Amino acid sequence: MMHIDINCDIGEGIGNEELLVPFISSANIACGFHASDENEMKRMVALCLQYGVAIGAHPSFPDRENFGRAAMNLTAQKIQQLIKEQLKALNKIVLAAGGRMHHVKPHGALYNMAAKDTLLAMSVAEAVKDFDDSLIYYGLSGSVMIDEAVESGLRIAHEAFADRTYQPDGSLTPRTYPGSLITDAGQVIAQVMQMIDKKMVTATNGEHISIQADTICIHGDGSNAVEFLKKINDSLLAGGILIKKIE
């Protein structure tokens, strides 16, 4: 049976996680640098364990003021330090709860910059590998962050997005641009099915671009996140596609 991983960013102060987690197979938990704190991380870990959802770390730049979406120019040493600090904080909680951390997915500006900046991508991948080389690295499909993770020897998952539009070069449309977010459920479903069935996505200029989707993300902070996840689940089930975490 065909299957796909559906992931979602949680623990970011939205408060809708109890409604989201039952419909996903992996979660990216904020580690305190752009959102969350120790108590919130504990709550998210418990929720993931309750529903059998794979637990991932969602490290970011130290930028609570801008929700981790402001670009920062930091040294490789500083990047590795802040990532390891966040992974350590979440992992301590996961182990205490009897779980195991499954993956890492950078957040916000750290993710978007690493998708294009080879040196930054290398620093992030090395930090993950140094911390635990068994962790799966979730990165933007086809980007240099995937290339550098592969080069470092990490297992990777090509990530695609259900609720974001794409540029012709395969990058996500910046949030500062009109139409960067997809707000219509029908369009979300169509994009998800296109990525799974056709292994392509339609860019903002109408061009069809190839894409590999090992995991598909819905942003938990979106106003329609719960509705989108329910409809994605229904559509995948109707299409004979199982929602399953990456083993």
Side-chain angles (χ1 to χ4, degrees):
M1 187 176 188
M2 188 181 233
H3 58 82
I4 188 72
D5 179 57
I6 301 293
N7 80 77
C8 189
D9 308 335
I10 64 173
E12 296 181 318
I14 309 303
N16 58 356
E17 288 85 5
E18 286 80 3
L19 300 175
L20 294 172
V21 172
F23 295 100
I24 62 177
S25 47
S26 64
N28 322 304
I29 300 176
C31 303
F33 276 38
H34 74 282
S36 194
D37 56 25
E38 183 177 357
N39 287 334
E40 183 70 354
M41 283 189 273
K42 287 180 179 178
R43 191 171 74 87
M44 294 301 102
V45 167
L47 195 58
C48 288
L49 291 175
Q50 177 185 347
Y51 286 98
V53 168
I55 298 170
H58 200 35
S60 78
F61 285 132
D63 177 35
R64 293 182 75 93
E65 181 180 357
N66 300 294
F67 200 64
R69 288 175 177 156
M72 292 187 174
N73 184 19
L74 304 177
T75 65
Q77 181 180 11
K78 182 64 177 176
I79 290 290
Q80 294 193 23
Q81 176 189 336
L82 65 86
I83 289 174
K84 290 178 183 178
E85 183 178 340
Q86 292 173 81
L87 300 186
K88 182 178 179 180
L90 180 62
N91 194 50
K92 180 180 178 181
I93 292 169
V94 174
L95 292 176
R100 179 182 175 277
M101 208 149 75
H102 171 267
H103 66 276
V104 177
K105 172 188 167 180
H107 167 78
L110 179 61
Y111 183 102
N112 292 325
M113 291 174 68
K116 297 181 177 181
D117 185 322
T118 300
L119 292 178
L120 177 58
M122 185 186 304
S123 297
V124 176
E126 288 178 355
V128 174
K129 183 179 180 181
D130 287 348
F131 182 80
D132 183 348
D133 62 5
S134 73
L135 293 171
I136 302 171
Y137 187 96
Y138 285 24
L140 183 65
S141 182
S143 71
V144 296
M145 67 194 303
I146 289 288
D147 295 339
E148 292 305 317
V150 170
E151 184 69 22
S152 73
L154 287 169
R155 289 181 61 199
I156 54 95
H158 288 264
E159 183 178 38
F161 290 81
D163 54 2
R164 294 289 301 275
T165 60
Y166 282 79
Q167 295 296 289
D169 65 355
S171 65
L172 298 177
T173 303
R175 285 178 178 266
T176 52
Y177 288 24
S180 62
L181 302 176
I182 302 176
T183 58
D184 176 74
Q187 188 178 349
V188 165
I189 299 303
Q191 180 154 297
V192 168
M193 299 311 294
Q194 182 187 35
M195 291 188 294
I196 295 173
D197 291 340
K198 306 294 185 183
K199 301 187 185 307
M200 65 175 59
V201 66
T202 304
T204 52
N205 68 348
E207 181 182 347
H208 289 166
I209 55 176
S210 297
I211 194 166
Q212 180 175 340
D214 301 319
T215 182
I216 295 177
C217 176
I218 278 283
H219 287 92
D221 62 333
S223 59
N224 300 319
V226 176
E227 175 196 0
F228 287 171
L229 278 172
K230 288 180 178 178
K231 291 185 175 180
I232 288 171
N233 271 252
D234 290 343
S235 295
L236 293 179
L237 181 62
I241 301 169
L242 181 67
I243 295 176
K244 182 182 177 183
K245 68 183 179 183
I246 298 169
E247 301 290 350

PDB file of all heavy atoms in Angstrom, residues 170-202:
ATOM      1  N   GLY A 170      11.933  25.874  -7.594  1.00  0.00           N
ATOM      2  CA  GLY A 170      11.680  24.866  -6.572  1.00  0.00           C
ATOM      3  C   GLY A 170      11.711  25.385  -5.155  1.00  0.00           C
ATOM      4  O   GLY A 170      11.460  24.627  -4.206  1.00  0.00           O
ATOM      5  N   SER A 171      12.010  26.667  -4.988  1.00  0.00           N
ATOM      6  CA  SER A 171      12.011  27.259  -3.654  1.00  0.00           C
ATOM      7  C   SER A 171      10.587  27.668  -3.267  1.00  0.00           C
ATOM      8  O   SER A 171       9.711  27.819  -4.119  1.00  0.00           O
ATOM      9  CB  SER A 171      12.936  28.472  -3.599  1.00  0.00           C
ATOM     10  OG  SER A 171      12.455  29.513  -4.440  1.00  0.00           O
ATOM     11  N   LEU A 172      10.362  27.842  -1.967  1.00  0.00           N
ATOM     12  CA  LEU A 172       9.060  28.309  -1.502  1.00  0.00           C
ATOM     13  C   LEU A 172       8.914  29.797  -1.792  1.00  0.00           C
ATOM     14  O   LEU A 172       9.884  30.567  -1.704  1.00  0.00           O
ATOM     15  CB  LEU A 172       8.922  28.080   0.006  1.00  0.00           C
ATOM     16  CG  LEU A 172       8.977  26.625   0.488  1.00  0.00           C
ATOM     17  CD1 LEU A 172       8.910  26.579   2.017  1.00  0.00           C
ATOM     18  CD2 LEU A 172       7.865  25.803  -0.123  1.00  0.00           C
ATOM     19  N   THR A 173       7.720  30.214  -2.126  1.00  0.00           N
ATOM     20  CA  THR A 173       7.459  31.636  -2.306  1.00  0.00           C
ATOM     21  C   THR A 173       7.633  32.334  -0.951  1.00  0.00           C
ATOM     22  O   THR A 173       7.031  31.918   0.027  1.00  0.00           O
ATOM     23  CB  THR A 173       6.025  31.876  -2.800  1.00  0.00           C
ATOM     24  OG1 THR A 173       5.826  31.144  -4.015  1.00  0.00           O
ATOM     25  CG2 THR A 173       5.766  33.353  -3.042  1.00  0.00           C
ATOM     26  N   PRO A 174       8.484  33.361  -0.863  1.00  0.00           N
ATOM     27  CA  PRO A 174       8.684  34.042   0.421  1.00  0.00           C
ATOM     28  C   PRO A 174       7.369  34.542   1.010  1.00  0.00           C
ATOM     29  O   PRO A 174       6.466  34.968   0.277  1.00  0.00           O
ATOM     30  CB  PRO A 174       9.606  35.211   0.051  1.00  0.00           C
ATOM     31  CG  PRO A 174      10.324  34.748  -1.178  1.00  0.00           C
ATOM     32  CD  PRO A 174       9.323  33.922  -1.930  1.00  0.00           C
ATOM     33  N   ARG A 175       7.267  34.476   2.321  1.00  0.00           N
ATOM     34  CA  ARG A 175       6.033  34.885   2.994  1.00  0.00           C
ATOM     35  C   ARG A 175       5.705  36.357   2.778  1.00  0.00           C
ATOM     36  O   ARG A 175       4.570  36.776   2.958  1.00  0.00           O
ATOM     37  CB  ARG A 175       6.135  34.603   4.499  1.00  0.00           C
ATOM     38  CG  ARG A 175       5.987  33.126   4.840  1.00  0.00           C
ATOM     39  CD  ARG A 175       6.137  32.896   6.341  1.00  0.00           C
ATOM     40  NE  ARG A 175       5.944  31.503   6.706  1.00  0.00           N
ATOM     41  CZ  ARG A 175       4.807  30.971   7.097  1.00  0.00           C
ATOM     42  NH1 ARG A 175       3.728  31.740   7.182  1.00  0.00           N
ATOM     43  NH2 ARG A 175       4.712  29.701   7.427  1.00  0.00           N
ATOM     44  N   THR A 176       6.708  37.153   2.405  1.00  0.00           N
ATOM     45  CA  THR A 176       6.477  38.575   2.150  1.00  0.00           C
ATOM     46  C   THR A 176       5.816  38.816   0.793  1.00  0.00           C
ATOM     47  O   THR A 176       5.387  39.924   0.499  1.00  0.00           O
ATOM     48  CB  THR A 176       7.804  39.348   2.203  1.00  0.00           C
ATOM     49  OG1 THR A 176       8.756  38.721   1.346  1.00  0.00           O
ATOM     50  CG2 THR A 176       8.359  39.362   3.625  1.00  0.00           C
ATOM     51  N   TYR A 177       5.724  37.769  -0.044  1.00  0.00           N
ATOM     52  CA  TYR A 177       5.120  37.897  -1.367  1.00  0.00           C
ATOM     53  C   TYR A 177       3.632  37.563  -1.299  1.00  0.00           C
ATOM     54  O   TYR A 177       3.221  36.692  -0.536  1.00  0.00           O
ATOM     55  CB  TYR A 177       5.772  36.946  -2.361  1.00  0.00           C
ATOM     56  CG  TYR A 177       7.168  37.288  -2.801  1.00  0.00           C
ATOM     57  CD1 TYR A 177       8.013  38.071  -2.016  1.00  0.00           C
ATOM     58  CD2 TYR A 177       7.672  36.790  -4.003  1.00  0.00           C
ATOM     59  CE1 TYR A 177       9.300  38.353  -2.412  1.00  0.00           C
ATOM     60  CE2 TYR A 177       8.969  37.072  -4.409  1.00  0.00           C
ATOM     61  CZ  TYR A 177       9.780  37.854  -3.609  1.00  0.00           C
ATOM     62  OH  TYR A 177      11.059  38.126  -4.016  1.00  0.00           O
ATOM     63  N   PRO A 178       2.811  38.223  -2.121  1.00  0.00           N
ATOM     64  CA  PRO A 178       1.396  37.850  -2.206  1.00  0.00           C
ATOM     65  C   PRO A 178       1.254  36.417  -2.703  1.00  0.00           C
ATOM     66  O   PRO A 178       2.013  35.974  -3.564  1.00  0.00           O
ATOM     67  CB  PRO A 178       0.826  38.844  -3.235  1.00  0.00           C
ATOM     68  CG  PRO A 178       1.815  39.957  -3.309  1.00  0.00           C
ATOM     69  CD  PRO A 178       3.143  39.364  -2.996  1.00  0.00           C
ATOM     70  N   GLY A 179       0.306  35.700  -2.154  1.00  0.00           N
ATOM     71  CA  GLY A 179       0.039  34.344  -2.611  1.00  0.00           C
ATOM     72  C   GLY A 179       1.014  33.304  -2.124  1.00  0.00           C
ATOM     73  O   GLY A 179       1.045  32.181  -2.657  1.00  0.00           O
ATOM     74  N   SER A 180       1.815  33.617  -1.113  1.00  0.00           N
ATOM     75  CA  SER A 180       2.794  32.644  -0.612  1.00  0.00           C
ATOM     76  C   SER A 180       2.114  31.515   0.150  1.00  0.00           C
ATOM     77  O   SER A 180       2.608  30.384   0.170  1.00  0.00           O
ATOM     78  CB  SER A 180       3.819  33.331   0.291  1.00  0.00           C
ATOM     79  OG  SER A 180       3.187  33.893   1.443  1.00  0.00           O
ATOM     80  N   LEU A 181       0.982  31.819   0.772  1.00  0.00           N
ATOM     81  CA  LEU A 181       0.239  30.834   1.545  1.00  0.00           C
ATOM     82  C   LEU A 181      -1.003  30.394   0.781  1.00  0.00           C
ATOM     83  O   LEU A 181      -1.698  31.214   0.192  1.00  0.00           O
ATOM     84  CB  LEU A 181      -0.179  31.412   2.905  1.00  0.00           C
ATOM     85  CG  LEU A 181       0.936  31.926   3.808  1.00  0.00           C
ATOM     86  CD1 LEU A 181       0.337  32.541   5.069  1.00  0.00           C
ATOM     87  CD2 LEU A 181       1.905  30.814   4.168  1.00  0.00           C
ATOM     88  N   ILE A 182      -1.285  29.104   0.813  1.00  0.00           N
ATOM     89  CA  ILE A 182      -2.506  28.585   0.186  1.00  0.00           C
ATOM     90  C   ILE A 182      -3.583  28.521   1.258  1.00  0.00           C
ATOM     91  O   ILE A 182      -3.405  27.874   2.289  1.00  0.00           O
ATOM     92  CB  ILE A 182      -2.266  27.196  -0.417  1.00  0.00           C
ATOM     93  CG1 ILE A 182      -1.140  27.260  -1.456  1.00  0.00           C
ATOM     94  CG2 ILE A 182      -3.543  26.664  -1.046  1.00  0.00           C
ATOM     95  CD1 ILE A 182      -0.766  25.906  -2.034  1.00  0.00           C
ATOM     96  N   THR A 183      -4.686  29.182   1.023  1.00  0.00           N
ATOM     97  CA  THR A 183      -5.748  29.266   2.028  1.00  0.00           C
ATOM     98  C   THR A 183      -7.016  28.521   1.626  1.00  0.00           C
ATOM     99  O   THR A 183      -7.974  28.461   2.395  1.00  0.00           O
ATOM    100  CB  THR A 183      -6.098  30.739   2.305  1.00  0.00           C
ATOM    101  OG1 THR A 183      -6.493  31.367   1.073  1.00  0.00           O
ATOM    102  CG2 THR A 183      -4.902  31.481   2.878  1.00  0.00           C
ATOM    103  N   ASP A 184      -7.020  27.951   0.429  1.00  0.00           N
ATOM    104  CA  ASP A 184      -8.187  27.221  -0.061  1.00  0.00           C
ATOM    105  C   ASP A 184      -7.960  25.717   0.075  1.00  0.00           C
ATOM    106  O   ASP A 184      -6.947  25.185  -0.404  1.00  0.00           O
ATOM    107  CB  ASP A 184      -8.435  27.569  -1.529  1.00  0.00           C
ATOM    108  CG  ASP A 184      -9.581  26.767  -2.126  1.00  0.00           C
ATOM    109  OD1 ASP A 184     -10.737  27.075  -1.788  1.00  0.00           O
ATOM    110  OD2 ASP A 184      -9.290  25.836  -2.897  1.00  0.00           O
ATOM    111  N   ALA A 185      -8.875  25.030   0.747  1.00  0.00           N
ATOM    112  CA  ALA A 185      -8.720  23.600   1.014  1.00  0.00           C
ATOM    113  C   ALA A 185      -8.615  22.791  -0.280  1.00  0.00           C
ATOM    114  O   ALA A 185      -7.820  21.839  -0.368  1.00  0.00           O
ATOM    115  CB  ALA A 185      -9.880  23.089   1.854  1.00  0.00           C
ATOM    116  N   GLY A 186      -9.408  23.158  -1.286  1.00  0.00           N
ATOM    117  CA  GLY A 186      -9.365  22.440  -2.552  1.00  0.00           C
ATOM    118  C   GLY A 186      -8.002  22.527  -3.209  1.00  0.00           C
ATOM    119  O   GLY A 186      -7.500  21.530  -3.769  1.00  0.00           O
ATOM    120  N   GLN A 187      -7.388  23.699  -3.143  1.00  0.00           N
ATOM    121  CA  GLN A 187      -6.065  23.881  -3.725  1.00  0.00           C
ATOM    122  C   GLN A 187      -5.012  23.094  -2.951  1.00  0.00           C
ATOM    123  O   GLN A 187      -4.084  22.525  -3.540  1.00  0.00           O
ATOM    124  CB  GLN A 187      -5.698  25.370  -3.754  1.00  0.00           C
ATOM    125  CG  GLN A 187      -4.419  25.683  -4.529  1.00  0.00           C
ATOM    126  CD  GLN A 187      -4.121  27.174  -4.577  1.00  0.00           C
ATOM    127  OE1 GLN A 187      -4.959  28.011  -4.212  1.00  0.00           O
ATOM    128  NE2 GLN A 187      -2.924  27.514  -5.012  1.00  0.00           N
ATOM    129  N   VAL A 188      -5.160  23.043  -1.626  1.00  0.00           N
ATOM    130  CA  VAL A 188      -4.238  22.265  -0.799  1.00  0.00           C
ATOM    131  C   VAL A 188      -4.303  20.791  -1.187  1.00  0.00           C
ATOM    132  O   VAL A 188      -3.274  20.139  -1.398  1.00  0.00           O
ATOM    133  CB  VAL A 188      -4.560  22.446   0.702  1.00  0.00           C
ATOM    134  CG1 VAL A 188      -3.867  21.378   1.550  1.00  0.00           C
ATOM    135  CG2 VAL A 188      -4.139  23.831   1.173  1.00  0.00           C
ATOM    136  N   ILE A 189      -5.513  20.253  -1.259  1.00  0.00           N
ATOM    137  CA  ILE A 189      -5.690  18.836  -1.614  1.00  0.00           C
ATOM    138  C   ILE A 189      -5.112  18.551  -2.996  1.00  0.00           C
ATOM    139  O   ILE A 189      -4.422  17.545  -3.212  1.00  0.00           O
ATOM    140  CB  ILE A 189      -7.175  18.438  -1.568  1.00  0.00           C
ATOM    141  CG1 ILE A 189      -7.752  18.638  -0.159  1.00  0.00           C
ATOM    142  CG2 ILE A 189      -7.351  16.998  -2.023  1.00  0.00           C
ATOM    143  CD1 ILE A 189      -7.037  17.890   0.922  1.00  0.00           C
ATOM    144  N   ALA A 190      -5.413  19.430  -3.951  1.00  0.00           N
ATOM    145  CA  ALA A 190      -4.924  19.237  -5.319  1.00  0.00           C
ATOM    146  C   ALA A 190      -3.396  19.219  -5.343  1.00  0.00           C
ATOM    147  O   ALA A 190      -2.784  18.394  -6.052  1.00  0.00           O
ATOM    148  CB  ALA A 190      -5.458  20.343  -6.227  1.00  0.00           C
ATOM    149  N   GLN A 191      -2.764  20.108  -4.566  1.00  0.00           N
ATOM    150  CA  GLN A 191      -1.301  20.168  -4.557  1.00  0.00           C
ATOM    151  C   GLN A 191      -0.719  18.912  -3.913  1.00  0.00           C
ATOM    152  O   GLN A 191       0.267  18.355  -4.413  1.00  0.00           O
ATOM    153  CB  GLN A 191      -0.826  21.428  -3.825  1.00  0.00           C
ATOM    154  CG  GLN A 191       0.686  21.566  -3.759  1.00  0.00           C
ATOM    155  CD  GLN A 191       1.135  22.995  -3.627  1.00  0.00           C
ATOM    156  OE1 GLN A 191       0.903  23.827  -4.513  1.00  0.00           O
ATOM    157  NE2 GLN A 191       1.797  23.308  -2.521  1.00  0.00           N
ATOM    158  N   VAL A 192      -1.307  18.462  -2.822  1.00  0.00           N
ATOM    159  CA  VAL A 192      -0.828  17.251  -2.151  1.00  0.00           C
ATOM    160  C   VAL A 192      -0.909  16.048  -3.092  1.00  0.00           C
ATOM    161  O   VAL A 192       0.056  15.283  -3.242  1.00  0.00           O
ATOM    162  CB  VAL A 192      -1.628  16.982  -0.861  1.00  0.00           C
ATOM    163  CG1 VAL A 192      -1.342  15.578  -0.324  1.00  0.00           C
ATOM    164  CG2 VAL A 192      -1.300  18.019   0.204  1.00  0.00           C
ATOM    165  N   MET A 193      -2.047  15.874  -3.735  1.00  0.00           N
ATOM    166  CA  MET A 193      -2.223  14.719  -4.624  1.00  0.00           C
ATOM    167  C   MET A 193      -1.310  14.808  -5.840  1.00  0.00           C
ATOM    168  O   MET A 193      -0.801  13.797  -6.328  1.00  0.00           O
ATOM    169  CB  MET A 193      -3.689  14.596  -5.043  1.00  0.00           C
ATOM    170  CG  MET A 193      -4.668  14.387  -3.882  1.00  0.00           C
ATOM    171  SD  MET A 193      -4.199  13.076  -2.724  1.00  0.00           S
ATOM    172  CE  MET A 193      -4.352  11.631  -3.781  1.00  0.00           C
ATOM    173  N   GLN A 194      -1.105  16.019  -6.336  1.00  0.00           N
ATOM    174  CA  GLN A 194      -0.198  16.206  -7.469  1.00  0.00           C
ATOM    175  C   GLN A 194       1.225  15.811  -7.090  1.00  0.00           C
ATOM    176  O   GLN A 194       1.926  15.147  -7.861  1.00  0.00           O
ATOM    177  CB  GLN A 194      -0.231  17.669  -7.932  1.00  0.00           C
ATOM    178  CG  GLN A 194       0.647  17.948  -9.154  1.00  0.00           C
ATOM    179  CD  GLN A 194       0.730  19.424  -9.476  1.00  0.00           C
ATOM    180  OE1 GLN A 194       0.732  20.270  -8.569  1.00  0.00           O
ATOM    181  NE2 GLN A 194       0.789  19.756 -10.755  1.00  0.00           N
ATOM    182  N   MET A 195       1.645  16.203  -5.883  1.00  0.00           N
ATOM    183  CA  MET A 195       3.000  15.890  -5.445  1.00  0.00           C
ATOM    184  C   MET A 195       3.191  14.391  -5.241  1.00  0.00           C
ATOM    185  O   MET A 195       4.262  13.844  -5.538  1.00  0.00           O
ATOM    186  CB  MET A 195       3.323  16.664  -4.159  1.00  0.00           C
ATOM    187  CG  MET A 195       3.459  18.158  -4.385  1.00  0.00           C
ATOM    188  SD  MET A 195       4.071  19.100  -2.951  1.00  0.00           S
ATOM    189  CE  MET A 195       2.725  18.911  -1.785  1.00  0.00           C
ATOM    190  N   ILE A 196       2.166  13.719  -4.737  1.00  0.00           N
ATOM    191  CA  ILE A 196       2.269  12.279  -4.496  1.00  0.00           C
ATOM    192  C   ILE A 196       2.118  11.484  -5.790  1.00  0.00           C
ATOM    193  O   ILE A 196       2.932  10.611  -6.097  1.00  0.00           O
ATOM    194  CB  ILE A 196       1.213  11.831  -3.469  1.00  0.00           C
ATOM    195  CG1 ILE A 196       1.474  12.474  -2.095  1.00  0.00           C
ATOM    196  CG2 ILE A 196       1.214  10.306  -3.337  1.00  0.00           C
ATOM    197  CD1 ILE A 196       0.389  12.212  -1.070  1.00  0.00           C
ATOM    198  N   ASP A 197       1.079  11.782  -6.553  1.00  0.00           N
ATOM    199  CA  ASP A 197       0.764  10.997  -7.754  1.00  0.00           C
ATOM    200  C   ASP A 197       1.662  11.313  -8.947  1.00  0.00           C
ATOM    201  O   ASP A 197       2.097  10.416  -9.677  1.00  0.00           O
ATOM    202  CB  ASP A 197      -0.695  11.227  -8.169  1.00  0.00           C
ATOM    203  CG  ASP A 197      -1.687  10.626  -7.195  1.00  0.00           C
ATOM    204  OD1 ASP A 197      -1.290   9.721  -6.427  1.00  0.00           O
ATOM    205  OD2 ASP A 197      -2.856  11.052  -7.198  1.00  0.00           O
ATOM    206  N   LYS A 198       1.919  12.615  -9.150  1.00  0.00           N
ATOM    207  CA  LYS A 198       2.653  13.038 -10.342  1.00  0.00           C
ATOM    208  C   LYS A 198       4.120  13.369 -10.074  1.00  0.00           C
ATOM    209  O   LYS A 198       4.894  13.573 -11.011  1.00  0.00           O
ATOM    210  CB  LYS A 198       1.986  14.280 -10.955  1.00  0.00           C
ATOM    211  CG  LYS A 198       0.499  14.114 -11.262  1.00  0.00           C
ATOM    212  CD  LYS A 198       0.247  13.088 -12.341  1.00  0.00           C
ATOM    213  CE  LYS A 198      -1.242  13.046 -12.714  1.00  0.00           C
ATOM    214  NZ  LYS A 198      -1.510  11.988 -13.723  1.00  0.00           N
ATOM    215  N   LYS A 199       4.478  13.459  -8.755  1.00  0.00           N
ATOM    216  CA  LYS A 199       5.836  13.863  -8.366  1.00  0.00           C
ATOM    217  C   LYS A 199       6.218  15.209  -8.986  1.00  0.00           C
ATOM    218  O   LYS A 199       7.333  15.414  -9.486  1.00  0.00           O
ATOM    219  CB  LYS A 199       6.864  12.791  -8.737  1.00  0.00           C
ATOM    220  CG  LYS A 199       6.584  11.440  -8.068  1.00  0.00           C
ATOM    221  CD  LYS A 199       7.696  10.465  -8.310  1.00  0.00           C
ATOM    222  CE  LYS A 199       7.372   9.084  -7.747  1.00  0.00           C
ATOM    223  NZ  LYS A 199       6.974   9.083  -6.339  1.00  0.00           N
ATOM    224  N   MET A 200       5.241  16.119  -8.969  1.00  0.00           N
ATOM    225  CA  MET A 200       5.487  17.471  -9.458  1.00  0.00           C
ATOM    226  C   MET A 200       4.587  18.449  -8.708  1.00  0.00           C
ATOM    227  O   MET A 200       3.659  18.051  -8.001  1.00  0.00           O
ATOM    228  CB  MET A 200       5.234  17.561 -10.958  1.00  0.00           C
ATOM    229  CG  MET A 200       3.798  17.329 -11.381  1.00  0.00           C
ATOM    230  SD  MET A 200       3.522  17.590 -13.166  1.00  0.00           S
ATOM    231  CE  MET A 200       4.657  16.411 -13.878  1.00  0.00           C
ATOM    232  N   VAL A 201       4.900  19.733  -8.847  1.00  0.00           N
ATOM    233  CA  VAL A 201       4.080  20.783  -8.259  1.00  0.00           C
ATOM    234  C   VAL A 201       4.009  21.925  -9.262  1.00  0.00           C
ATOM    235  O   VAL A 201       4.939  22.125 -10.055  1.00  0.00           O
ATOM    236  CB  VAL A 201       4.674  21.255  -6.904  1.00  0.00           C
ATOM    237  CG1 VAL A 201       6.017  21.942  -7.092  1.00  0.00           C
ATOM    238  CG2 VAL A 201       3.704  22.167  -6.160  1.00  0.00           C
ATOM    239  N   THR A 202       2.902  22.643  -9.250  1.00  0.00           N
ATOM    240  CA  THR A 202       2.737  23.757 -10.173  1.00  0.00           C
ATOM    241  C   THR A 202       3.247  25.037  -9.520  1.00  0.00           C
ATOM    242  O   THR A 202       2.757  25.448  -8.463  1.00  0.00           O
ATOM    243  CB  THR A 202       1.258  23.933 -10.556  1.00  0.00           C
ATOM    244  OG1 THR A 202       0.769  22.706 -11.107  1.00  0.00           O
ATOM    245  CG2 THR A 202       1.094  25.052 -11.578  1.00  0.00           C
TER     246      THR A 202
END
